[in-house]
Amino acid sequence: MDYIKRDLENKILSLSREYSCLLITGPRQVGKTTILKRIMGNDRVYVTLDDMEERRLAKNDPALFLQMHALPIMIDEVQYAPELFSYIKIAVDNGAPPGAFWLTGSQAFNLMHLAQESLAGRTAILHLPSLSQHEIHGRGECTPFTLELDSIKARNSTNEPTDMNGIYERIFNGSMPGLVSGKYTDRDVFYSSYLQTYIERDVSEQVALIDKLLFRDFVRSAASRVGQMLNVHNIAQDVGVSDDTARRWLQVLEKSDIIFYLRPYSNNLLKRMVKTAKLYFFDTGLVAYLTRYSSPEILASGAINGAILENYVISEIQKTYHNNARECLMWYYRDKESNEIDLIMESDGMLHPIEIKRSVNPGYELSGTFKVLDKASLTRGNGAILCMRPELSAIDSENYIVPIWMI
């Protein structure tokens, strides 16, 4: 089993020279512990709060816990002892050196709330996603995906080309390090165990007396709707729970980084907009498993082939920003006249419209919808169609045709 170098490594090391505390969040089993152990050196103490004795001490006597362990320290699964945060704040305020505390946790929302309450301005918060296609198949430096022509062209030398079959194989295999690295070889057993562990540990802590089999069916129902506008009532009906229960369970999935949403873009100049978010999963392999597709070939011709491709593209773009410790404002557009844009990236006061298609030769007329953004309060910038074209091309000087393997 080989270690897969993570694009976030250099950013972690550079921020450790500036901040006394680093908090690394992300979904379960995406490699948070592995990356930090790989780069932490021999002088750092490692403590995991999966150890019940360490957890008991950290919760009941956080001051003694920190006295017992020398700095610098890495505390794994810190969400199990939120009592530590106030005492870490005291240590930082008393002059703890840069890089003194490395913290990891898999409940991003809760951890960020705790950090912002207790460690605001004192900690660097980074999000580690599952493996990106650049980390798995690429080389060289990862840069955020933008629609600047020189930036796109530079991706020729850092990303590995592939065709439609290759893209769907990447989608089907997913991006979990345990599978990609070869540590685990039975994909179905891995995802089944992943779900069981997630429900037993994370979900059961957030929802008392939950019906675990019913919740598993709920996750499967949500997975069948990736890339669609969220309809809570339909998901609730699928599994026989109330709409309020479905909303609470969706919040649990979002808080633990199983799902994320794309919100609709709107402003005062764009009228008659829909206001419903679209639903996506952080890992397309999990979606393929939950929706019972048995091979990349069947998935590529299945009912969700377009939706899961859209999910893959949006999550891969997000990863290029997370792996550079940057945020990207992303939206979609749909109005009541059926005008639709799959993705809008907002940066530097400009809106960049993107269509996502599984075609090798998408119709150039697809970029015509981009003009609806001319009425927006922000300037419309370069647009693109992301598709299965093997090489970079262009519709005109402002709209490009970009292969999905270039993300």
Side-chain angles (χ1 to χ4, degrees), residues 176-231:
M176 299 299 285
L179 281 175
V180 175
S181 67
K183 180 179 180 181
Y184 305 107
T185 56
D186 191 314
R187 173 182 169 276
D188 289 350
V189 170
F190 173 85
Y191 279 119
S192 176
S193 302
Y194 183 90
L195 275 173
Q196 183 174 332
T197 302
Y198 164 65
I199 294 171
E200 290 285 349
R201 297 182 65 177
D202 292 353
V203 177
S204 296
E205 287 180 6
Q206 298 182 60
V207 183
L209 303 176
I210 192 168
D211 185 322
K212 295 170 185 175
L213 292 177
L214 196 62
F215 189 84
R216 189 183 181 105
D217 290 341
F218 177 83
V219 181
R220 178 172 284 112
S221 176
S224 69
R225 290 173 167 81
V226 294
Q228 297 181 22
M229 289 193 295
L230 179 64
N231 189 318

Short mmCIF file of all heavy atoms in Angstrom, two decimals, residues 176-231:
data_model
loop_
_atom_site.label_atom_id
_atom_site.label_comp_id
_atom_site.label_asym_id
_atom_site.label_seq_id
_atom_site.Cartn_x
_atom_site.Cartn_y
_atom_site.Cartn_z
N MET A 176 -12.08 7.60 -1.94
CA MET A 176 -11.68 7.31 -0.57
C MET A 176 -10.28 6.70 -0.55
O MET A 176 -10.02 5.72 -1.27
CB MET A 176 -12.68 6.38 0.08
CG MET A 176 -14.09 6.96 0.17
SD MET A 176 -14.15 8.48 1.14
CE MET A 176 -14.00 7.80 2.79
N PRO A 177 -9.37 7.25 0.24
CA PRO A 177 -7.98 6.77 0.23
C PRO A 177 -7.83 5.28 0.49
O PRO A 177 -6.96 4.62 -0.10
CB PRO A 177 -7.31 7.59 1.35
CG PRO A 177 -8.12 8.85 1.40
CD PRO A 177 -9.53 8.44 1.10
N GLY A 178 -8.66 4.72 1.37
CA GLY A 178 -8.55 3.29 1.67
C GLY A 178 -8.74 2.41 0.46
O GLY A 178 -8.08 1.38 0.31
N LEU A 179 -9.63 2.81 -0.45
CA LEU A 179 -9.86 2.05 -1.67
C LEU A 179 -8.83 2.38 -2.73
O LEU A 179 -8.28 1.49 -3.39
CB LEU A 179 -11.26 2.34 -2.22
CG LEU A 179 -12.44 1.64 -1.55
CD1 LEU A 179 -13.75 2.15 -2.13
CD2 LEU A 179 -12.34 0.13 -1.73
N VAL A 180 -8.57 3.66 -2.94
CA VAL A 180 -7.67 4.09 -4.01
C VAL A 180 -6.25 3.57 -3.78
O VAL A 180 -5.56 3.16 -4.72
CB VAL A 180 -7.66 5.63 -4.12
CG1 VAL A 180 -6.64 6.10 -5.15
CG2 VAL A 180 -9.05 6.14 -4.50
N SER A 181 -5.81 3.56 -2.52
CA SER A 181 -4.45 3.12 -2.21
C SER A 181 -4.27 1.61 -2.27
O SER A 181 -3.15 1.11 -2.27
CB SER A 181 -4.07 3.59 -0.80
OG SER A 181 -4.86 2.92 0.18
N GLY A 182 -5.38 0.87 -2.34
CA GLY A 182 -5.30 -0.58 -2.37
C GLY A 182 -5.30 -1.24 -1.01
O GLY A 182 -5.17 -2.46 -0.90
N LYS A 183 -5.46 -0.44 0.05
CA LYS A 183 -5.53 -1.02 1.39
C LYS A 183 -6.72 -1.96 1.49
O LYS A 183 -6.64 -3.03 2.10
CB LYS A 183 -5.64 0.09 2.43
CG LYS A 183 -5.72 -0.43 3.87
CD LYS A 183 -5.81 0.72 4.87
CE LYS A 183 -5.88 0.19 6.30
NZ LYS A 183 -5.99 1.32 7.29
N TYR A 184 -7.84 -1.56 0.89
CA TYR A 184 -9.03 -2.40 0.84
C TYR A 184 -9.35 -2.68 -0.62
O TYR A 184 -9.29 -1.78 -1.46
CB TYR A 184 -10.23 -1.71 1.50
CG TYR A 184 -9.97 -1.28 2.92
CD1 TYR A 184 -9.79 0.08 3.23
CD2 TYR A 184 -9.87 -2.20 3.96
CE1 TYR A 184 -9.54 0.49 4.53
CE2 TYR A 184 -9.63 -1.79 5.26
CZ TYR A 184 -9.46 -0.45 5.54
OH TYR A 184 -9.21 -0.04 6.82
N THR A 185 -9.69 -3.92 -0.93
CA THR A 185 -9.89 -4.30 -2.33
C THR A 185 -11.35 -4.61 -2.66
O THR A 185 -11.72 -4.59 -3.83
CB THR A 185 -9.03 -5.53 -2.68
OG1 THR A 185 -9.36 -6.60 -1.77
CG2 THR A 185 -7.55 -5.20 -2.57
N ASP A 186 -12.15 -4.91 -1.66
CA ASP A 186 -13.57 -5.20 -1.91
C ASP A 186 -14.37 -3.92 -1.71
O ASP A 186 -14.65 -3.50 -0.59
CB ASP A 186 -14.07 -6.31 -0.96
CG ASP A 186 -15.45 -6.83 -1.37
OD1 ASP A 186 -16.32 -6.00 -1.66
OD2 ASP A 186 -15.64 -8.06 -1.38
N ARG A 187 -14.74 -3.30 -2.82
CA ARG A 187 -15.41 -2.01 -2.79
C ARG A 187 -16.73 -2.06 -2.04
O ARG A 187 -17.05 -1.17 -1.24
CB ARG A 187 -15.62 -1.53 -4.23
CG ARG A 187 -16.44 -0.28 -4.41
CD ARG A 187 -16.59 0.02 -5.90
NE ARG A 187 -17.59 1.06 -6.12
CZ ARG A 187 -18.89 0.82 -6.18
NH1 ARG A 187 -19.34 -0.41 -6.01
NH2 ARG A 187 -19.74 1.81 -6.39
N ASP A 188 -17.54 -3.09 -2.29
CA ASP A 188 -18.85 -3.18 -1.65
C ASP A 188 -18.73 -3.34 -0.14
O ASP A 188 -19.48 -2.72 0.62
CB ASP A 188 -19.66 -4.35 -2.24
CG ASP A 188 -20.12 -4.07 -3.66
OD1 ASP A 188 -20.00 -2.91 -4.11
OD2 ASP A 188 -20.62 -5.00 -4.31
N VAL A 189 -17.79 -4.17 0.29
CA VAL A 189 -17.58 -4.35 1.73
C VAL A 189 -17.10 -3.05 2.36
O VAL A 189 -17.52 -2.68 3.46
CB VAL A 189 -16.58 -5.50 2.00
CG1 VAL A 189 -16.17 -5.52 3.47
CG2 VAL A 189 -17.18 -6.83 1.60
N PHE A 190 -16.22 -2.33 1.66
CA PHE A 190 -15.71 -1.07 2.19
C PHE A 190 -16.84 -0.08 2.43
O PHE A 190 -16.97 0.49 3.51
CB PHE A 190 -14.68 -0.46 1.24
CG PHE A 190 -14.23 0.92 1.65
CD1 PHE A 190 -13.20 1.08 2.56
CD2 PHE A 190 -14.87 2.05 1.16
CE1 PHE A 190 -12.79 2.35 2.97
CE2 PHE A 190 -14.46 3.33 1.56
CZ PHE A 190 -13.43 3.47 2.47
N TYR A 191 -17.68 0.15 1.40
CA TYR A 191 -18.74 1.15 1.55
C TYR A 191 -19.81 0.70 2.53
O TYR A 191 -20.37 1.52 3.27
CB TYR A 191 -19.35 1.48 0.19
CG TYR A 191 -18.53 2.47 -0.60
CD1 TYR A 191 -17.99 2.14 -1.84
CD2 TYR A 191 -18.27 3.74 -0.09
CE1 TYR A 191 -17.23 3.05 -2.55
CE2 TYR A 191 -17.51 4.66 -0.80
CZ TYR A 191 -16.99 4.31 -2.03
OH TYR A 191 -16.23 5.22 -2.73
N SER A 192 -20.11 -0.59 2.57
CA SER A 192 -21.06 -1.10 3.56
C SER A 192 -20.54 -0.86 4.98
O SER A 192 -21.29 -0.39 5.86
CB SER A 192 -21.30 -2.59 3.34
OG SER A 192 -22.15 -3.12 4.33
N SER A 193 -19.26 -1.14 5.19
CA SER A 193 -18.66 -0.92 6.51
C SER A 193 -18.57 0.56 6.83
O SER A 193 -18.76 0.97 7.99
CB SER A 193 -17.27 -1.56 6.55
OG SER A 193 -17.33 -2.94 6.27
N TYR A 194 -18.27 1.37 5.82
CA TYR A 194 -18.19 2.82 6.01
C TYR A 194 -19.52 3.36 6.52
O TYR A 194 -19.58 4.13 7.49
CB TYR A 194 -17.80 3.48 4.70
CG TYR A 194 -17.61 4.99 4.79
CD1 TYR A 194 -16.38 5.54 5.09
CD2 TYR A 194 -18.68 5.86 4.57
CE1 TYR A 194 -16.21 6.91 5.19
CE2 TYR A 194 -18.51 7.22 4.67
CZ TYR A 194 -17.27 7.74 4.98
OH TYR A 194 -17.11 9.10 5.07
N LEU A 195 -20.60 2.97 5.85
CA LEU A 195 -21.92 3.44 6.26
C LEU A 195 -22.28 2.96 7.66
O LEU A 195 -22.82 3.71 8.47
CB LEU A 195 -22.97 2.93 5.26
CG LEU A 195 -23.19 3.77 4.00
CD1 LEU A 195 -24.13 3.05 3.05
CD2 LEU A 195 -23.73 5.14 4.35
N GLN A 196 -21.99 1.69 7.93
CA GLN A 196 -22.32 1.15 9.24
C GLN A 196 -21.57 1.89 10.35
O GLN A 196 -22.16 2.27 11.37
CB GLN A 196 -21.99 -0.35 9.29
CG GLN A 196 -22.37 -1.01 10.61
CD GLN A 196 -22.14 -2.51 10.55
OE1 GLN A 196 -22.20 -3.13 9.50
NE2 GLN A 196 -21.89 -3.12 11.71
N THR A 197 -20.26 2.12 10.13
CA THR A 197 -19.46 2.84 11.13
C THR A 197 -19.96 4.27 11.28
O THR A 197 -20.07 4.80 12.40
CB THR A 197 -17.98 2.85 10.71
OG1 THR A 197 -17.53 1.50 10.58
CG2 THR A 197 -17.13 3.56 11.75
N TYR A 198 -20.26 4.93 10.16
CA TYR A 198 -20.75 6.30 10.20
C TYR A 198 -22.04 6.40 10.99
O TYR A 198 -22.21 7.27 11.85
CB TYR A 198 -20.94 6.80 8.76
CG TYR A 198 -21.79 8.05 8.66
CD1 TYR A 198 -21.37 9.25 9.20
CD2 TYR A 198 -23.04 8.00 8.04
CE1 TYR A 198 -22.15 10.39 9.12
CE2 TYR A 198 -23.83 9.13 7.95
CZ TYR A 198 -23.38 10.32 8.50
OH TYR A 198 -24.17 11.44 8.42
N ILE A 199 -22.98 5.49 10.73
CA ILE A 199 -24.27 5.53 11.41
C ILE A 199 -24.11 5.20 12.89
O ILE A 199 -24.71 5.83 13.77
CB ILE A 199 -25.28 4.59 10.72
CG1 ILE A 199 -25.61 5.09 9.31
CG2 ILE A 199 -26.56 4.47 11.55
CD1 ILE A 199 -26.42 4.13 8.47
N GLU A 200 -23.27 4.20 13.19
CA GLU A 200 -23.08 3.78 14.58
C GLU A 200 -22.42 4.89 15.41
O GLU A 200 -22.77 5.10 16.57
CB GLU A 200 -22.21 2.52 14.64
CG GLU A 200 -22.89 1.26 14.12
CD GLU A 200 -23.92 0.70 15.09
OE1 GLU A 200 -23.97 1.16 16.24
OE2 GLU A 200 -24.69 -0.19 14.67
N ARG A 201 -21.46 5.60 14.81
CA ARG A 201 -20.68 6.55 15.60
C ARG A 201 -21.19 7.98 15.46
O ARG A 201 -21.58 8.61 16.43
CB ARG A 201 -19.21 6.48 15.18
CG ARG A 201 -18.58 5.12 15.47
CD ARG A 201 -17.13 5.09 15.09
NE ARG A 201 -16.33 6.00 15.88
CZ ARG A 201 -15.00 6.11 15.77
NH1 ARG A 201 -14.35 5.39 14.89
NH2 ARG A 201 -14.34 6.96 16.53
N ASP A 202 -21.20 8.51 14.25
CA ASP A 202 -21.54 9.92 14.07
C ASP A 202 -23.03 10.19 14.20
O ASP A 202 -23.46 11.11 14.89
CB ASP A 202 -21.05 10.41 12.71
CG ASP A 202 -19.54 10.47 12.63
OD1 ASP A 202 -18.90 10.25 13.67
OD2 ASP A 202 -19.00 10.72 11.55
N VAL A 203 -23.85 9.38 13.51
CA VAL A 203 -25.29 9.63 13.50
C VAL A 203 -25.90 9.36 14.87
O VAL A 203 -26.70 10.14 15.37
CB VAL A 203 -25.98 8.78 12.41
CG1 VAL A 203 -27.49 8.99 12.46
CG2 VAL A 203 -25.44 9.14 11.04
N SER A 204 -25.51 8.26 15.48
CA SER A 204 -26.10 7.90 16.77
C SER A 204 -25.78 8.93 17.85
O SER A 204 -26.54 9.10 18.80
CB SER A 204 -25.60 6.52 17.21
OG SER A 204 -26.05 5.52 16.32
N GLU A 205 -24.65 9.64 17.69
CA GLU A 205 -24.31 10.69 18.65
C GLU A 205 -25.18 11.93 18.47
O GLU A 205 -25.44 12.66 19.42
CB GLU A 205 -22.84 11.09 18.49
CG GLU A 205 -21.88 10.05 19.04
CD GLU A 205 -20.44 10.48 18.88
OE1 GLU A 205 -20.23 11.64 18.46
OE2 GLU A 205 -19.54 9.69 19.17
N GLN A 206 -25.62 12.16 17.24
CA GLN A 206 -26.39 13.37 16.95
C GLN A 206 -27.91 13.16 17.03
O GLN A 206 -28.65 14.11 17.25
CB GLN A 206 -26.03 13.90 15.56
CG GLN A 206 -24.57 14.31 15.44
CD GLN A 206 -24.26 14.88 14.06
OE1 GLN A 206 -24.83 15.87 13.64
NE2 GLN A 206 -23.35 14.24 13.35
N VAL A 207 -28.36 11.93 16.81
CA VAL A 207 -29.79 11.63 16.83
C VAL A 207 -30.03 10.46 17.78
O VAL A 207 -29.61 9.34 17.50
CB VAL A 207 -30.31 11.28 15.42
CG1 VAL A 207 -31.82 11.06 15.47
CG2 VAL A 207 -29.95 12.36 14.41
N ALA A 208 -30.71 10.71 18.87
CA ALA A 208 -30.95 9.68 19.87
C ALA A 208 -31.96 8.65 19.36
O ALA A 208 -32.94 9.00 18.69
CB ALA A 208 -31.45 10.31 21.16
N LEU A 209 -31.71 7.38 19.66
CA LEU A 209 -32.64 6.28 19.39
C LEU A 209 -33.06 6.22 17.92
O LEU A 209 -34.21 5.93 17.59
CB LEU A 209 -33.89 6.40 20.27
CG LEU A 209 -33.64 6.43 21.80
CD1 LEU A 209 -34.95 6.66 22.53
CD2 LEU A 209 -32.97 5.15 22.26
N ILE A 210 -32.12 6.47 17.02
CA ILE A 210 -32.45 6.45 15.59
C ILE A 210 -32.60 5.02 15.10
O ILE A 210 -31.91 4.10 15.56
CB ILE A 210 -31.35 7.19 14.78
CG1 ILE A 210 -31.82 7.43 13.35
CG2 ILE A 210 -30.03 6.42 14.80
CD1 ILE A 210 -30.94 8.39 12.58
N ASP A 211 -33.52 4.82 14.17
CA ASP A 211 -33.68 3.53 13.50
C ASP A 211 -32.58 3.44 12.43
O ASP A 211 -32.66 4.10 11.39
CB ASP A 211 -35.07 3.44 12.86
CG ASP A 211 -35.35 2.08 12.25
OD1 ASP A 211 -34.42 1.49 11.66
OD2 ASP A 211 -36.50 1.61 12.34
N LYS A 212 -31.58 2.63 12.69
CA LYS A 212 -30.39 2.63 11.84
C LYS A 212 -30.66 2.08 10.44
O LYS A 212 -30.10 2.57 9.45
CB LYS A 212 -29.28 1.83 12.52
CG LYS A 212 -28.81 2.50 13.82
CD LYS A 212 -27.91 1.62 14.63
CE LYS A 212 -27.57 2.30 15.98
NZ LYS A 212 -26.77 1.43 16.85
N LEU A 213 -31.52 1.08 10.34
CA LEU A 213 -31.86 0.55 9.02
C LEU A 213 -32.66 1.57 8.21
O LEU A 213 -32.45 1.74 7.01
CB LEU A 213 -32.65 -0.75 9.15
CG LEU A 213 -31.88 -1.94 9.72
CD1 LEU A 213 -32.81 -3.15 9.87
CD2 LEU A 213 -30.69 -2.30 8.82
N LEU A 214 -33.56 2.27 8.89
CA LEU A 214 -34.35 3.30 8.21
C LEU A 214 -33.46 4.45 7.76
O LEU A 214 -33.64 4.99 6.65
CB LEU A 214 -35.43 3.81 9.17
CG LEU A 214 -36.58 4.61 8.56
CD1 LEU A 214 -37.36 3.75 7.56
CD2 LEU A 214 -37.52 5.12 9.65
N PHE A 215 -32.48 4.82 8.58
CA PHE A 215 -31.58 5.91 8.20
C PHE A 215 -30.73 5.50 6.99
O PHE A 215 -30.47 6.31 6.10
CB PHE A 215 -30.67 6.29 9.36
CG PHE A 215 -29.86 7.53 9.11
CD1 PHE A 215 -30.40 8.79 9.35
CD2 PHE A 215 -28.57 7.45 8.61
CE1 PHE A 215 -29.66 9.94 9.10
CE2 PHE A 215 -27.82 8.59 8.35
CZ PHE A 215 -28.37 9.83 8.60
N ARG A 216 -30.32 4.24 6.94
CA ARG A 216 -29.55 3.76 5.78
C ARG A 216 -30.39 3.87 4.50
O ARG A 216 -29.90 4.28 3.45
CB ARG A 216 -29.11 2.32 6.02
CG ARG A 216 -28.12 1.78 5.00
CD ARG A 216 -27.80 0.33 5.30
NE ARG A 216 -26.84 -0.22 4.36
CZ ARG A 216 -25.57 -0.44 4.64
NH1 ARG A 216 -25.10 -0.15 5.84
NH2 ARG A 216 -24.76 -0.96 3.73
N ASP A 217 -31.67 3.51 4.59
CA ASP A 217 -32.56 3.66 3.44
C ASP A 217 -32.72 5.13 3.07
O ASP A 217 -32.82 5.48 1.88
CB ASP A 217 -33.94 3.06 3.75
CG ASP A 217 -33.92 1.54 3.84
OD1 ASP A 217 -32.97 0.93 3.32
OD2 ASP A 217 -34.85 0.98 4.45
N PHE A 218 -32.72 5.98 4.07
CA PHE A 218 -32.82 7.42 3.83
C PHE A 218 -31.61 7.93 3.05
O PHE A 218 -31.76 8.71 2.10
CB PHE A 218 -32.94 8.14 5.18
CG PHE A 218 -32.98 9.63 5.08
CD1 PHE A 218 -34.16 10.29 4.79
CD2 PHE A 218 -31.83 10.39 5.27
CE1 PHE A 218 -34.21 11.67 4.70
CE2 PHE A 218 -31.87 11.77 5.17
CZ PHE A 218 -33.07 12.41 4.89
N VAL A 219 -30.43 7.50 3.42
CA VAL A 219 -29.21 7.91 2.70
C VAL A 219 -29.27 7.42 1.26
O VAL A 219 -28.89 8.14 0.32
CB VAL A 219 -27.95 7.37 3.41
CG1 VAL A 219 -26.69 7.82 2.66
CG2 VAL A 219 -27.88 7.84 4.85
N ARG A 220 -29.78 6.20 1.06
CA ARG A 220 -29.90 5.66 -0.30
C ARG A 220 -30.89 6.48 -1.13
O ARG A 220 -30.64 6.77 -2.31
CB ARG A 220 -30.34 4.19 -0.24
CG ARG A 220 -30.53 3.55 -1.61
CD ARG A 220 -30.76 2.06 -1.53
NE ARG A 220 -29.50 1.37 -1.24
CZ ARG A 220 -29.23 0.73 -0.11
NH1 ARG A 220 -30.14 0.69 0.86
NH2 ARG A 220 -28.08 0.13 0.06
N SER A 221 -31.99 6.89 -0.52
CA SER A 221 -32.96 7.71 -1.23
C SER A 221 -32.36 9.05 -1.63
O SER A 221 -32.57 9.54 -2.75
CB SER A 221 -34.19 7.93 -0.33
OG SER A 221 -35.11 8.80 -0.95
N ALA A 222 -31.58 9.65 -0.72
CA ALA A 222 -30.92 10.91 -1.05
C ALA A 222 -29.92 10.72 -2.19
O ALA A 222 -29.82 11.58 -3.09
CB ALA A 222 -30.21 11.46 0.19
N ALA A 223 -29.20 9.60 -2.18
CA ALA A 223 -28.19 9.35 -3.22
C ALA A 223 -28.81 9.23 -4.60
O ALA A 223 -28.19 9.58 -5.61
CB ALA A 223 -27.40 8.08 -2.89
N SER A 224 -30.04 8.73 -4.66
CA SER A 224 -30.70 8.58 -5.96
C SER A 224 -31.13 9.93 -6.54
O SER A 224 -31.58 10.00 -7.69
CB SER A 224 -31.93 7.67 -5.83
OG SER A 224 -32.95 8.30 -5.07
N ARG A 225 -30.96 11.00 -5.76
CA ARG A 225 -31.40 12.33 -6.20
C ARG A 225 -30.24 13.32 -6.33
O ARG A 225 -30.45 14.53 -6.28
CB ARG A 225 -32.44 12.88 -5.22
CG ARG A 225 -33.76 12.13 -5.30
CD ARG A 225 -34.72 12.58 -4.20
NE ARG A 225 -36.08 12.11 -4.44
CZ ARG A 225 -36.51 10.89 -4.15
NH1 ARG A 225 -35.69 10.01 -3.58
NH2 ARG A 225 -37.75 10.54 -4.41
N VAL A 226 -29.02 12.84 -6.48
CA VAL A 226 -27.90 13.77 -6.65
C VAL A 226 -28.12 14.62 -7.91
O VAL A 226 -28.67 14.15 -8.90
CB VAL A 226 -26.54 13.04 -6.74
CG1 VAL A 226 -26.19 12.36 -5.44
CG2 VAL A 226 -26.52 12.06 -7.90
N GLY A 227 -27.69 15.86 -7.83
CA GLY A 227 -27.81 16.75 -8.97
C GLY A 227 -29.21 17.29 -9.19
O GLY A 227 -29.44 18.00 -10.17
N GLN A 228 -30.14 16.95 -8.31
CA GLN A 228 -31.51 17.43 -8.45
C GLN A 228 -31.80 18.51 -7.41
O GLN A 228 -31.15 18.57 -6.36
CB GLN A 228 -32.51 16.29 -8.27
CG GLN A 228 -32.41 15.18 -9.29
CD GLN A 228 -33.45 14.10 -9.05
OE1 GLN A 228 -34.47 14.32 -8.42
NE2 GLN A 228 -33.17 12.90 -9.56
N MET A 229 -32.80 19.33 -7.70
CA MET A 229 -33.26 20.27 -6.69
C MET A 229 -33.87 19.48 -5.53
O MET A 229 -34.60 18.51 -5.74
CB MET A 229 -34.28 21.25 -7.28
CG MET A 229 -33.64 22.25 -8.23
SD MET A 229 -34.76 23.63 -8.63
CE MET A 229 -36.05 22.79 -9.51
N LEU A 230 -33.53 19.91 -4.34
CA LEU A 230 -33.92 19.16 -3.14
C LEU A 230 -35.44 19.17 -2.95
O LEU A 230 -36.06 20.22 -2.91
CB LEU A 230 -33.25 19.79 -1.92
CG LEU A 230 -33.56 19.15 -0.57
CD1 LEU A 230 -33.04 17.72 -0.52
CD2 LEU A 230 -32.95 19.98 0.56
N ASN A 231 -36.00 17.96 -2.82
CA ASN A 231 -37.42 17.80 -2.51
C ASN A 231 -37.51 16.95 -1.25
O ASN A 231 -37.48 15.72 -1.31
CB ASN A 231 -38.17 17.15 -3.67
CG ASN A 231 -39.69 17.17 -3.46
OD1 ASN A 231 -40.19 16.92 -2.36
ND2 ASN A 231 -40.42 17.45 -4.52
#
